[in-house]
Short mmCIF file of all heavy atoms in Angstrom, two decimals:
data_model
loop_
_atom_site.label_atom_id
_atom_site.label_comp_id
_atom_site.label_asym_id
_atom_site.label_seq_id
_atom_site.Cartn_x
_atom_site.Cartn_y
_atom_site.Cartn_z
N GLN A 1 136.01 116.06 83.90
CA GLN A 1 135.25 117.14 84.66
C GLN A 1 134.16 117.66 83.69
O GLN A 1 134.46 118.25 82.65
CB GLN A 1 136.30 118.26 84.98
CG GLN A 1 137.46 117.91 85.90
CD GLN A 1 136.89 117.46 87.24
OE1 GLN A 1 135.99 118.26 87.81
NE2 GLN A 1 137.34 116.44 87.81
N ILE A 2 132.94 117.53 84.15
CA ILE A 2 131.83 117.93 83.29
C ILE A 2 130.95 118.84 84.15
O ILE A 2 130.95 118.82 85.40
CB ILE A 2 131.02 116.68 82.80
CG1 ILE A 2 130.59 115.80 83.90
CG2 ILE A 2 131.76 115.88 81.77
CD1 ILE A 2 129.22 116.06 84.50
N ARG A 3 130.18 119.59 83.50
CA ARG A 3 129.22 120.51 84.13
C ARG A 3 127.78 119.91 84.17
O ARG A 3 127.23 119.70 83.10
CB ARG A 3 129.17 121.92 83.38
CG ARG A 3 128.42 122.92 84.04
CD ARG A 3 128.39 124.26 83.22
NE ARG A 3 127.77 123.97 81.89
CZ ARG A 3 128.39 123.84 80.82
NH1 ARG A 3 129.77 123.81 80.80
NH2 ARG A 3 127.76 123.55 79.64
N LEU A 4 127.26 119.73 85.33
CA LEU A 4 125.87 119.16 85.36
C LEU A 4 124.91 120.31 85.68
O LEU A 4 125.24 121.24 86.46
CB LEU A 4 125.78 118.17 86.52
CG LEU A 4 126.41 116.85 86.31
CD1 LEU A 4 126.52 116.02 87.62
CD2 LEU A 4 125.73 116.07 85.17
N ALA A 5 123.67 120.28 85.30
CA ALA A 5 122.65 121.19 85.46
C ALA A 5 122.27 121.08 86.88
O ALA A 5 122.27 119.97 87.53
CB ALA A 5 121.59 121.11 84.49
N GLN A 6 121.94 122.18 87.57
CA GLN A 6 121.51 122.23 88.93
C GLN A 6 120.28 121.47 89.02
O GLN A 6 119.27 121.61 88.33
CB GLN A 6 121.46 123.57 89.52
CG GLN A 6 121.05 123.57 90.99
CD GLN A 6 121.10 125.01 91.66
OE1 GLN A 6 121.38 125.95 90.93
NE2 GLN A 6 120.68 125.14 92.89
N VAL A 7 120.17 120.56 90.02
CA VAL A 7 118.88 119.76 90.18
C VAL A 7 117.97 120.54 91.10
O VAL A 7 118.35 120.95 92.10
CB VAL A 7 119.06 118.43 90.66
CG1 VAL A 7 117.83 117.69 90.97
CG2 VAL A 7 120.07 117.64 89.87
N PRO A 8 116.82 120.92 90.62
CA PRO A 8 115.75 121.77 91.35
C PRO A 8 115.35 120.90 92.57
O PRO A 8 115.17 119.62 92.53
CB PRO A 8 114.56 121.81 90.44
CG PRO A 8 115.15 121.55 88.98
CD PRO A 8 116.19 120.59 89.19
N VAL A 9 115.21 121.62 93.70
CA VAL A 9 114.85 120.93 94.99
C VAL A 9 113.35 120.62 94.90
O VAL A 9 112.50 121.65 94.56
CB VAL A 9 115.15 121.89 96.18
CG1 VAL A 9 114.62 121.11 97.39
CG2 VAL A 9 116.58 122.08 96.24
N LYS A 10 113.02 119.41 94.99
CA LYS A 10 111.53 119.04 94.80
C LYS A 10 110.93 119.08 96.31
O LYS A 10 111.39 118.41 97.08
CB LYS A 10 111.39 117.69 94.20
CG LYS A 10 110.04 117.27 93.94
CD LYS A 10 109.88 115.88 93.39
CE LYS A 10 108.56 115.43 93.05
NZ LYS A 10 108.54 114.07 92.50
N GLU A 11 109.84 119.81 96.42
CA GLU A 11 109.14 119.96 97.67
C GLU A 11 108.27 118.80 97.84
O GLU A 11 107.46 118.34 97.02
CB GLU A 11 108.21 121.27 97.58
CG GLU A 11 109.12 122.48 97.70
CD GLU A 11 109.73 122.61 99.12
OE1 GLU A 11 109.36 122.06 100.10
OE2 GLU A 11 110.75 123.42 98.99
N ILE A 12 108.50 117.96 98.86
CA ILE A 12 107.74 116.77 99.10
C ILE A 12 106.68 117.16 100.10
O ILE A 12 106.83 117.50 101.15
CB ILE A 12 108.65 115.68 99.71
CG1 ILE A 12 109.77 115.27 98.74
CG2 ILE A 12 107.77 114.37 100.09
CD1 ILE A 12 110.80 114.35 99.28
N PRO A 13 105.40 116.85 99.62
CA PRO A 13 104.18 117.20 100.52
C PRO A 13 104.22 116.17 101.74
O PRO A 13 104.60 115.13 101.59
CB PRO A 13 102.91 116.97 99.62
CG PRO A 13 103.42 116.05 98.58
CD PRO A 13 104.93 116.37 98.30
N PHE A 14 103.75 116.68 102.85
CA PHE A 14 103.61 115.75 103.99
C PHE A 14 102.47 116.30 104.93
O PHE A 14 102.10 117.51 104.80
CB PHE A 14 104.95 115.68 104.79
CG PHE A 14 105.55 117.01 105.37
CD1 PHE A 14 105.16 117.51 106.50
CD2 PHE A 14 106.36 117.69 104.54
CE1 PHE A 14 105.57 118.64 107.11
CE2 PHE A 14 106.91 118.91 105.00
CZ PHE A 14 106.49 119.41 106.27
N LEU A 15 102.01 115.41 105.71
CA LEU A 15 100.96 115.80 106.64
C LEU A 15 101.36 116.80 107.70
O LEU A 15 102.47 116.53 108.38
CB LEU A 15 100.26 114.66 107.31
CG LEU A 15 99.65 113.72 106.26
CD1 LEU A 15 99.10 112.50 107.03
CD2 LEU A 15 98.48 114.32 105.42
N GLN A 16 100.89 117.91 107.86
CA GLN A 16 101.19 118.73 108.95
C GLN A 16 100.62 118.06 110.32
O GLN A 16 99.79 117.31 110.29
CB GLN A 16 100.46 120.15 108.75
CG GLN A 16 100.92 120.84 107.69
CD GLN A 16 102.38 121.30 107.59
OE1 GLN A 16 102.96 121.61 108.63
NE2 GLN A 16 103.07 121.13 106.55
N PRO A 17 101.22 118.46 111.43
CA PRO A 17 100.81 117.81 112.66
C PRO A 17 99.34 117.79 112.91
O PRO A 17 98.73 116.81 113.35
CB PRO A 17 101.58 118.54 113.67
CG PRO A 17 102.93 118.99 113.04
CD PRO A 17 102.38 119.27 111.63
N GLU A 18 98.77 118.96 112.67
CA GLU A 18 97.20 119.02 113.00
C GLU A 18 96.44 118.18 111.90
O GLU A 18 95.22 118.09 112.16
CB GLU A 18 96.79 120.52 112.79
CG GLU A 18 97.00 121.19 111.49
CD GLU A 18 98.32 121.79 111.32
OE1 GLU A 18 99.31 121.51 112.09
OE2 GLU A 18 98.51 122.66 110.38
N GLU A 19 97.03 117.69 110.93
CA GLU A 19 96.29 117.01 109.85
C GLU A 19 96.41 115.46 110.19
O GLU A 19 95.58 114.62 109.68
CB GLU A 19 96.82 117.18 108.49
CG GLU A 19 96.64 118.46 107.96
CD GLU A 19 97.27 118.78 106.51
OE1 GLU A 19 98.34 118.41 106.35
OE2 GLU A 19 96.58 119.40 105.77
N ILE A 20 97.41 115.04 110.99
CA ILE A 20 97.67 113.72 111.17
C ILE A 20 96.56 112.86 111.74
O ILE A 20 96.18 111.75 111.25
CB ILE A 20 99.02 113.34 111.94
CG1 ILE A 20 100.16 113.83 111.05
CG2 ILE A 20 99.22 111.92 112.19
CD1 ILE A 20 101.55 113.82 111.66
N LYS A 21 95.91 113.39 112.72
CA LYS A 21 94.81 112.67 113.48
C LYS A 21 93.62 112.56 112.53
O LYS A 21 92.87 111.54 112.60
CB LYS A 21 94.55 113.36 114.82
CG LYS A 21 95.58 113.01 115.88
CD LYS A 21 94.99 113.37 117.34
CE LYS A 21 95.10 114.79 117.51
NZ LYS A 21 94.88 115.15 118.91
N LYS A 22 93.37 113.51 111.78
CA LYS A 22 92.24 113.46 110.72
C LYS A 22 92.51 112.16 109.70
O LYS A 22 91.64 111.44 109.41
CB LYS A 22 92.20 114.75 109.96
CG LYS A 22 91.77 115.90 110.81
CD LYS A 22 91.73 117.23 110.00
CE LYS A 22 91.28 118.44 110.78
NZ LYS A 22 91.19 119.59 109.91
N PHE A 23 93.79 112.13 109.33
CA PHE A 23 94.24 111.12 108.43
C PHE A 23 94.02 109.82 109.11
O PHE A 23 93.51 108.87 108.50
CB PHE A 23 95.69 111.33 108.00
CG PHE A 23 96.22 110.18 107.10
CD1 PHE A 23 95.90 110.15 105.76
CD2 PHE A 23 96.97 109.17 107.68
CE1 PHE A 23 96.33 109.00 104.91
CE2 PHE A 23 97.50 108.20 106.93
CZ PHE A 23 97.21 107.99 105.59
N CYS A 24 94.49 109.65 110.30
CA CYS A 24 94.37 108.44 111.10
C CYS A 24 92.88 107.85 111.22
O CYS A 24 92.57 106.74 111.20
CB CYS A 24 95.03 108.50 112.51
SG CYS A 24 96.85 108.63 112.43
N ALA A 25 92.15 108.93 111.39
CA ALA A 25 90.55 108.57 111.63
C ALA A 25 90.04 108.09 110.27
O ALA A 25 89.25 107.15 110.23
CB ALA A 25 89.88 109.84 112.07
N GLU A 26 90.56 108.69 109.10
CA GLU A 26 90.01 108.14 107.91
C GLU A 26 90.37 106.86 107.51
O GLU A 26 89.70 106.15 106.83
CB GLU A 26 90.54 109.23 106.83
CG GLU A 26 90.13 108.85 105.46
CD GLU A 26 88.60 108.79 105.23
OE1 GLU A 26 87.97 109.64 105.80
OE2 GLU A 26 88.15 107.81 104.45
N ILE A 27 91.67 106.30 107.99
CA ILE A 27 92.15 104.99 107.58
C ILE A 27 91.83 103.89 108.50
O ILE A 27 92.12 102.81 108.29
CB ILE A 27 93.76 105.06 107.43
CG1 ILE A 27 94.32 105.32 108.77
CG2 ILE A 27 94.08 106.12 106.37
CD1 ILE A 27 95.89 105.19 108.67
N LYS A 28 91.06 104.32 109.60
CA LYS A 28 90.65 103.34 110.64
C LYS A 28 89.91 102.12 109.97
O LYS A 28 88.93 102.41 109.22
CB LYS A 28 89.98 103.97 111.84
CG LYS A 28 89.72 103.03 112.99
CD LYS A 28 89.18 103.66 114.13
CE LYS A 28 88.90 102.78 115.29
NZ LYS A 28 90.15 102.18 115.73
N SER A 29 90.34 100.93 110.22
CA SER A 29 89.77 99.67 109.80
C SER A 29 89.81 99.42 108.30
O SER A 29 89.25 98.48 107.83
CB SER A 29 88.27 99.59 110.21
OG SER A 29 88.14 99.73 111.61
N LYS A 30 90.59 100.32 107.57
CA LYS A 30 90.84 100.09 106.17
C LYS A 30 92.02 98.93 105.94
O LYS A 30 92.77 98.64 106.84
CB LYS A 30 91.22 101.34 105.44
CG LYS A 30 90.31 102.52 105.57
CD LYS A 30 89.02 102.24 104.81
CE LYS A 30 88.27 103.48 104.54
NZ LYS A 30 87.88 104.38 105.71
N SER A 31 91.93 98.39 104.77
CA SER A 31 92.92 97.29 104.57
C SER A 31 94.33 97.65 104.59
O SER A 31 95.22 96.90 104.82
CB SER A 31 92.59 96.69 103.18
OG SER A 31 92.76 97.62 102.18
N TYR A 32 94.58 98.98 104.39
CA TYR A 32 95.93 99.56 104.53
C TYR A 32 96.28 100.28 105.68
O TYR A 32 97.33 101.00 105.72
CB TYR A 32 96.14 100.54 103.25
CG TYR A 32 95.11 101.51 103.17
CD1 TYR A 32 95.29 102.94 103.77
CD2 TYR A 32 93.85 101.43 102.58
CE1 TYR A 32 94.46 103.80 103.61
CE2 TYR A 32 92.94 102.46 102.54
CZ TYR A 32 93.20 103.64 103.12
OH TYR A 32 92.31 104.70 103.13
N GLU A 33 95.43 100.23 106.70
CA GLU A 33 95.61 100.88 107.92
C GLU A 33 96.96 100.58 108.68
O GLU A 33 97.71 101.57 108.81
CB GLU A 33 94.47 100.52 109.02
CG GLU A 33 94.62 101.23 110.22
CD GLU A 33 93.49 100.83 111.28
OE1 GLU A 33 92.96 99.73 111.13
OE2 GLU A 33 93.25 101.59 112.28
N ILE A 34 97.31 99.31 108.78
CA ILE A 34 98.54 98.91 109.48
C ILE A 34 99.76 99.46 108.62
O ILE A 34 100.59 100.02 109.24
CB ILE A 34 98.66 97.43 109.58
CG1 ILE A 34 97.66 97.02 110.62
CG2 ILE A 34 100.11 97.04 109.94
CD1 ILE A 34 97.50 95.49 110.81
N ALA A 35 99.66 99.35 107.22
CA ALA A 35 100.73 99.74 106.44
C ALA A 35 100.98 101.29 106.58
O ALA A 35 102.03 101.74 106.79
CB ALA A 35 100.51 99.44 105.04
N ALA A 36 99.92 102.08 106.51
CA ALA A 36 100.09 103.51 106.69
C ALA A 36 100.58 103.91 108.04
O ALA A 36 101.42 104.84 108.17
CB ALA A 36 98.66 104.21 106.38
N LEU A 37 100.11 103.25 109.09
CA LEU A 37 100.51 103.56 110.38
C LEU A 37 101.98 103.17 110.75
O LEU A 37 102.76 103.85 111.45
CB LEU A 37 99.60 102.82 111.47
CG LEU A 37 98.18 103.47 111.54
CD1 LEU A 37 97.40 102.72 112.46
CD2 LEU A 37 98.17 104.93 111.93
N LEU A 38 102.43 102.14 110.00
CA LEU A 38 103.89 101.78 110.18
C LEU A 38 104.78 102.86 109.57
O LEU A 38 105.75 103.22 110.07
CB LEU A 38 104.15 100.49 109.44
CG LEU A 38 103.61 99.13 110.20
CD1 LEU A 38 103.69 97.91 109.38
CD2 LEU A 38 104.43 98.98 111.44
N GLU A 39 104.33 103.47 108.34
CA GLU A 39 105.04 104.43 107.88
C GLU A 39 105.00 105.76 108.61
O GLU A 39 105.96 106.52 108.64
CB GLU A 39 104.57 104.60 106.36
CG GLU A 39 104.88 103.52 105.53
CD GLU A 39 104.71 103.85 103.99
OE1 GLU A 39 103.65 104.32 103.70
OE2 GLU A 39 105.65 103.54 103.19
N LEU A 40 103.91 105.95 109.43
CA LEU A 40 103.84 107.08 110.36
C LEU A 40 104.67 106.82 111.45
O LEU A 40 104.84 107.75 112.38
CB LEU A 40 102.34 107.29 110.64
CG LEU A 40 101.56 108.33 109.87
CD1 LEU A 40 100.11 108.34 110.38
CD2 LEU A 40 102.19 109.61 109.81
N HIS A 41 105.29 105.63 111.66
CA HIS A 41 106.28 105.46 112.79
C HIS A 41 107.78 105.59 112.13
O HIS A 41 108.63 105.12 112.79
CB HIS A 41 105.99 104.06 113.26
CG HIS A 41 104.99 104.00 114.34
ND1 HIS A 41 103.69 103.95 114.05
CD2 HIS A 41 105.15 103.94 115.73
CE1 HIS A 41 103.04 103.93 115.33
NE2 HIS A 41 103.77 103.92 116.26
N GLY A 42 107.75 106.10 110.91
CA GLY A 42 109.13 106.16 110.34
C GLY A 42 109.73 105.13 109.52
O GLY A 42 110.90 105.05 109.16
N LEU A 43 108.96 104.06 109.34
CA LEU A 43 109.53 102.85 108.50
C LEU A 43 109.51 103.23 107.02
O LEU A 43 108.57 103.91 106.52
CB LEU A 43 108.67 101.58 108.77
CG LEU A 43 109.02 100.74 109.93
CD1 LEU A 43 108.80 101.37 111.36
CD2 LEU A 43 108.43 99.34 109.86
#
């Protein structure tokens, strides 16, 4: 039985809904477009 220090909750940044279409417009036709859009589908 050991005592572990509490792990701080790390806030993970993410795109707000109103930002997503701006991001999608920026990545259009880029080499990583498909990869990013797949992750925007939850993969």
